Amino acid sequence: MKQMIDIVALGELLIDFTEAGVGADGMKLFEQNPGGAPANLLTVASHMGYRTEFIGKVGKDMHGAFLKKTLEKEKIGVLNLIEDEHYFTTLAFVAIDENGEREFSFARKPGADTKLQADELNLELLQNCKIFHFGSLSLTAQPAHEATVTAVSHAKAEGALISYDPNYRASLWSSEDVAIETMKSMICYADVMKISDEESLLLTGEKTYEAAADQLLQMGPKLVAVTLGSEGVLIAFGERKERIAGFQVKPVDTTGAGDSFWGGFLSAYLEFRKPVEELSWKEIKYCAEYGNATAALCVQKRGGIPAIPKKEEVSRMIRR
């Protein structure tokens, strides 16, 4: 029997050019940080000692080479990372305000990540993973949209736990209505789902996060986590909903905070080696606290992947 991969994730792998002060002439400086939500999540799981693989596409250019080298350095598998000589690696320019909140500007018309094709998927990875994770940025354009649906369907049929993180970036969609419809169309596949506070209201039309979580659960997932920034997370599981407080830290850059939370949550979940529906509330709360600690450490540094903490750091934060 082949060795199982703990988490396989599909989606965008890109460069975040993050604001990093100003030069001598007063012009803004930008720091090259490797990122992309699925890759951020895998970095957390890799740091926690789990076997991971990334599925996606970058350009055959200096940025793509840098990203591939970064994943290899983080011990993330690159068996299905494709370097395409016809399309440029996607870039994101990130402005950060005094609270660490971000504003994005994308160079992605098209970016290589949108050009992943269904027939380029490594089916062995999808057949041999415990968790398959995907987001919604790969749904914004074809052929990556079709590739994502194909991968999710195949992994689910093979028995993987399906993890979904709808991630709304207005500039990447033709309209808000199209974004909502498309992102909602994938919820039925998900066993577990992470969503931000704002996105939970956007997708459901509800006024409270609790009502939004209830509606999302009715669409199929067994567990929904609504991230609440510095306030922590709302977990909805069955009939129970509870807000679990975050760790109070001074944020420098919130890039990757949600990905770090969910990577920490899923890493903690893997410790229990049981179906998600069999988890006790105590176990779920442990997963949420582990995710909160991971996110709190992440936001104290700039960038996506470079800010992901090590396992020892998370353990110290939990014990504090």
Side-chain angles (χ1 to χ4, degrees), residues 16 34 70 100 167 174 233:
D16 288 322
T70 297
N167 188 6
S174 59
V233 64

Side-chain angles (χ1 to χ4, degrees), residues 80-92:
N80 207 178
L81 175 62
I82 299 165
E83 297 171 276
D84 194 318
E85 62 184 11
H86 301 293
Y87 301 99
F88 200 73
T89 300
T90 295
L91 308 178

Side-chain angles (χ1 to χ4, degrees), residues 54-255:
F54 179 82
I55 296 176
K57 182 174 280 193
V58 294
K60 195 172 182 61
D61 51 46
M62 62 183 289
H63 297 304
F66 169 66
L67 289 167
K68 182 177 181 179
K69 192 173 295 185
T70 297
L71 293 192
E72 291 172 337
K73 178 183 174 184
E74 299 295 345
K75 297 182 171 57
I76 297 169
V78 293
L79 291 174
N80 207 178
L81 175 62
I82 299 165
E83 297 171 276
D84 194 318
E85 62 184 11
H86 301 293
Y87 301 99
F88 200 73
T89 300
T90 295
L91 308 178
F93 293 85
V94 189
I96 304 173
D97 68 17
E98 62 274 8
N99 298 314
E101 295 299 324
R102 304 149 298 153
E103 180 182 346
F104 289 87
S105 178
F106 289 92
R108 190 187 190 229
K109 295 182 178 180
D113 66 295
T114 69
K115 294 301 179 178
L116 179 69
Q117 301 179 61
D119 61 6
E120 294 175 318
L121 296 171
N122 184 324
L123 297 183
E124 285 192 14
L125 297 181
L126 302 173
Q127 292 162 358
N128 295 288
C129 64
K130 297 175 184 176
I131 298 174
F132 178 79
H133 174 78
F134 72 106
S136 59
L137 264 62
S138 60
L139 302 172
T140 58
Q142 294 290 9
H145 183 291
E146 180 187 354
T148 303
V149 175
T150 299
V152 173
S153 302
H154 196 86
K156 192 170 185 70
E158 294 292 335
L161 181 86
I162 304 299
S163 164
Y164 179 36
D165 176 14
N167 188 6
Y168 181 58
R169 297 283 180 260
S171 63
L172 299 181
W173 296 92
S174 59
S175 72
E176 185 177 285
D177 288 342
V178 169
I180 292 170
E181 180 183 358
T182 305
M183 289 191 288
K184 287 176 70 173
S185 72
M186 300 302 292
I187 296 175
C188 60
Y189 291 95
D191 297 300
V192 293
M193 178 177 175
K194 192 281 288 181
I195 188 167
S196 75
D197 44 10
E198 294 179 355
E199 289 156 350
S200 72
L201 304 184
L202 176 70
L203 263 59
T204 63
E206 298 287 358
K207 302 297 184 185
T208 70
Y209 306 131
E210 282 77 9
D214 278 336
Q215 186 182 141
L216 293 169
L217 280 176
Q218 292 168 16
M219 297 181 192
K222 303 176 180 72
L223 181 148
V224 172
V226 181
T227 53
L228 306 173
S230 62
E231 295 180 17
V233 64
L234 167 68
I235 299 292
F237 178 71
E239 298 298 317
R240 186 164 182 176
K241 291 183 292 295
E242 185 175 321
R243 294 190 181 209
I244 299 168
F247 294 79
Q248 296 307 305
V249 299
K250 183 173 177 56
V252 172
D253 178 7
T254 58
T255 301

Side-chain angles (χ1 to χ4, degrees), residues 242-313:
E242 185 175 321
R243 294 190 181 209
I244 299 168
F247 294 79
Q248 296 307 305
V249 299
K250 183 173 177 56
V252 172
D253 178 7
T254 58
T255 301
D259 311 324
S260 293
F261 165 79
W262 198 228
F265 187 102
L266 293 178
S267 295
Y269 162 72
L270 284 168
E271 293 180 28
F272 296 113
R273 301 184 182 184
K274 63 171 72 171
V276 67
E277 59 269 26
E278 294 180 11
L279 290 173
S280 68
W281 188 256
K282 181 179 179 181
E283 291 167 336
I284 290 172
K285 190 172 181 180
Y286 168 78
C287 294
E289 289 173 344
Y290 203 91
N292 281 342
T294 308
L297 289 162
C298 173
V299 300
Q300 294 179 71
K301 298 178 181 178
R302 282 200 305 267
I305 290 175
I308 303 298
K310 303 297 185 184
K311 183 176 183 178
E312 298 74 22
E313 296 176 274

